[in-house]
Amino acid sequence: MQKFMDILEAKLMPIGIKLGNNRYLKAINKSFMIILPLTIFGSIFTLISSFPVTAWTNWLNETGLATWLGLPSKLTIDLISLYTVVSLGYVFTKEEGFDGFAGGLTALVSFIIVTPLLQITTKQDSIITAIGFDWLGARGLFVAMIIGCLSSLLFIFFNKKGWIIKMPEGVPPMVTKSFSSLIPMFLVGSLFLVIAYLFSLTSYGSLHSLIYTFIASPLQKVGGSFGGMIVFTLALHILWFFGIHGGNIVNSISNTFLLPLALENLAVYQAGGTPEFIYTTAFKNTYQFGGAGMTISLCVLMIFVAKSQRYKALGKLALPANIFYINEPIIFGTPMVLNPTMIIPFILAPLVTQVLAYGLTVMGILPVLIGYQIPWSMPPIISGFIQGGWQVALYQVFSLFLTFLIYYPFFKVIDKQACLEEDAINIGK
């Protein structure tokens, strides 16, 4: 066992540290965090406008309020790629020590340039040019991430080369900043204009269509598959076992695949359809509640089953925070890190509950989750009801009992050891 652990530590820790320090993944993760309030805002109004009570939805439709309550979601979730590319350009550029606002604007204009325009003929036979919503929502998110990083890299490159307009001393700082970003923004925008033109000559018509067909869609299908769920879950918990924050590393990768799928589910639900994708960020947060290892049940064990004072006190201290997905106290207090006795239930608890939930969803017993962007700290049962109704909330209650049983025999071992240590201390006194 020790030899196996040494091999895992030698192989996984360097990879985990390298991924955790990857500037692209860090920037993408931070950009998602910046726009989180927007997605939550839109999701809350989607929930209000489509709350599953027939009398409520009928009243909204009759009064015309349904249209107004649908606007926040239409202008946030359905434009998620626009907000993402701006925040990513801002974060990436600022992290490198340059003007983040200018970097965000450069990313935005680059993204809009490569987004195909629509030609709409009105009843008066006049032609209106518009940008459709097709590539501004979840479908364009992968391109938004690529352009957010690439345009920022080019913007930084041109700045480092000194290809900027330098204003004389005495000019207001705002004017100086504005002119200094002019040439880099012009060059980056021009480059993406050429790219957009070249793709318009192909059978795909746009960069969006090519990326979605050959990269985004296949990667999302792999990441959002049953196998992807197993890989992401194992990686997250193995990294935690070695003291590396698995959530920061794995989520920064998995969210690039799973968040667009959740947003697509939400868009389909808003349109009156049935969500399609099973494994999404909503699935992960709903069925792996309480943080890594689903340690809420372990806290309950400590409070009501522990005979040692150490674990009884730890459970009481850790449970309130653990309900809101903050479980570092239990992970480092037990500890879970480098604890060969607890690694099995720590990995098994979230793996079993998610595998079972996935199977029940495939069989139609549990619904495919809607994909509302609710706060990650939303307590279980409430989160389950919001994402999928009473069936999902009931399954979360069942999961608590299931993980309780998984943790029980392993916890008894460490609790007994803690009792012996406490007895030895008391005897010494």
Side-chain angles (χ1 to χ4, degrees):
M1 180 65 179
Q2 185 61 45
K3 186 176 180 181
F4 176 69
M5 288 168 56
D6 291 341
I7 293 173
L8 282 179
E9 184 175 3
K11 298 292 183 181
L12 286 177
M13 282 192 71
I15 297 174
I17 293 171
K18 189 172 182 179
L19 288 173
N21 293 326
N22 184 279
R23 61 174 176 163
Y24 302 102
L25 294 177
K26 285 171 67 177
I28 290 171
N29 206 32
K30 286 183 179 180
S31 68
F32 282 150
M33 292 302 296
I34 288 175
I35 63 172
L36 182 61
L38 282 172
T39 57
I40 292 176
F41 170 65
S43 293
I44 288 173
F45 274 91
T46 299
L47 178 61
I48 294 171
S49 63
S50 57
F51 197 76
V53 176
T54 304
W56 170 253
T57 54
N58 287 342
W59 180 76
L60 290 178
N61 289 324
E62 290 168 3
T63 58
L65 288 173
T67 301
W68 288 99
L69 290 175
L71 274 179
S73 178
K74 189 72 176 175
L75 299 176
T76 54
I77 303 298
D78 291 357
L79 296 176
I80 192 68
S81 292
L82 284 181
Y83 300 120
T84 299
V85 76
V86 172
S87 62
L88 182 52
Y90 171 83
V91 170
F92 200 104
T93 309
K94 190 173 183 181
E95 292 275 317
E96 296 295 320
F98 293 91
D99 186 355
F101 185 74
L105 285 180
T106 303
L108 175 61
V109 72
S110 300
F111 179 80
I112 292 176
I113 285 172
V114 301
T115 302
L117 299 175
L118 301 177
Q119 301 291 333
I120 303 171
T121 303
T122 66
K123 292 181 180 179
Q124 292 76 27
D125 291 329
S126 60
I127 297 177
I128 298 175
T129 302
I131 301 177
F133 273 59
D134 285 354
W135 299 113
L136 303 184
R139 292 185 69 197
L141 199 51
F142 208 81
V143 171
M145 289 186 280
I146 292 174
I147 288 183
C149 292
L150 184 56
S151 66
S152 299
L153 276 174
L154 291 170
F155 182 86
I156 292 165
F157 172 78
F158 293 136
N159 270 279
K160 286 183 175 179
K161 285 291 185 180
W163 297 352
I164 59 176
I165 297 175
K166 297 180 179 180
M167 303 297 289
E169 293 183 10
V171 176
M174 186 59 68
V175 176
T176 300
K177 287 180 68 175
S178 177
F179 274 88
S180 66
S181 63
L182 176 59
I183 293 177
M185 187 181 293
F186 177 83
L187 292 173
V188 174
S190 299
L191 178 60
F192 280 102
L193 182 63
V194 172
I195 292 172
Y197 170 72
L198 293 176
F199 273 101
S200 71
L201 302 178
T202 68
S203 58
Y204 296 100
S206 70
L207 175 64
H208 281 279
S209 182
L210 177 72
I211 294 294
Y212 189 80
T213 302
F214 285 99
I215 300 177
S217 185
L219 283 177
Q220 287 171 3
K221 287 179 180 177
V222 171
S225 66
F226 180 81
M229 180 184 73
I230 299 296
V231 170
F232 287 139
T233 302
L234 286 174
L236 187 148
H237 290 84
I238 290 173
L239 287 171
W240 261 122
F241 175 74
F242 289 108
I244 303 171
H245 198 301
N248 285 349
I249 295 171
V250 175
N251 290 341
S252 64
I253 301 170
S254 65
N255 285 347
T256 60
F257 307 118
L258 304 182
L259 181 59
L261 298 181
L263 294 174
E264 286 199 38
N265 278 353
L266 182 58
V268 170
Y269 178 77
Q270 287 173 315
T274 302
E276 171 188 355
F277 302 105
I278 297 177
Y279 185 56
T280 65
T281 49
F283 183 100
K284 181 181 62 175
N285 294 335
T286 303
Y287 294 125
Q288 187 186 297
F289 56 83
M294 297 183 67
T295 51
I296 291 180
S297 53
L298 180 59
C299 290
V300 175
L301 271 171
M302 289 181 176
I303 295 171
F304 295 103
V305 177
K307 294 183 179 179
S308 64
Q309 294 302 311
R310 168 189 168 184
Y311 287 126
K312 191 174 289 290
L314 177 60
K316 291 177 181 178
L317 289 171
L319 181 59
N322 210 164
I323 291 173
F324 295 93
Y325 286 62
I326 300 168
N327 68 338
E328 280 83 355
I330 204 78
I331 286 179
F332 293 108
T334 305
M336 295 296 191
V337 177
L338 297 177
N339 188 335
T341 304
M342 297 303 289
I343 186 176
I344 295 175
F346 185 64
I347 294 176
L348 202 59
L351 200 58
V352 168
T353 54
Q354 288 185 97
V355 167
L356 185 56
Y358 194 100
L360 292 174
T361 305
V362 170
M363 290 187 286
I365 297 173
L366 290 176
V368 176
L369 302 185
I370 295 169
Y372 288 123
Q373 299 303 294
I374 58 178
W376 61 269
S377 56
M378 183 71 70
I381 302 176
I382 299 175
S383 64
F385 183 79
I386 291 173
Q387 293 288 8
W390 66 268
Q391 301 100 316
V392 179
L394 185 61
Y395 180 80
Q396 287 183 317
V397 174
F398 168 75
S399 296
L400 284 171
F401 288 103
L402 180 60
T403 53
F404 184 94
L405 294 175
I406 291 173
Y407 272 110
Y408 183 82
F410 299 93
F411 173 69
K412 290 295 289 183
V413 172
I414 63 170
D415 185 48
K416 183 178 180 180
Q417 181 63 36
C419 285
L420 292 174
E421 292 173 0
E422 289 174 1
D423 291 341
I425 293 173
N426 291 331
I427 291 171
K429 290 181 179 179

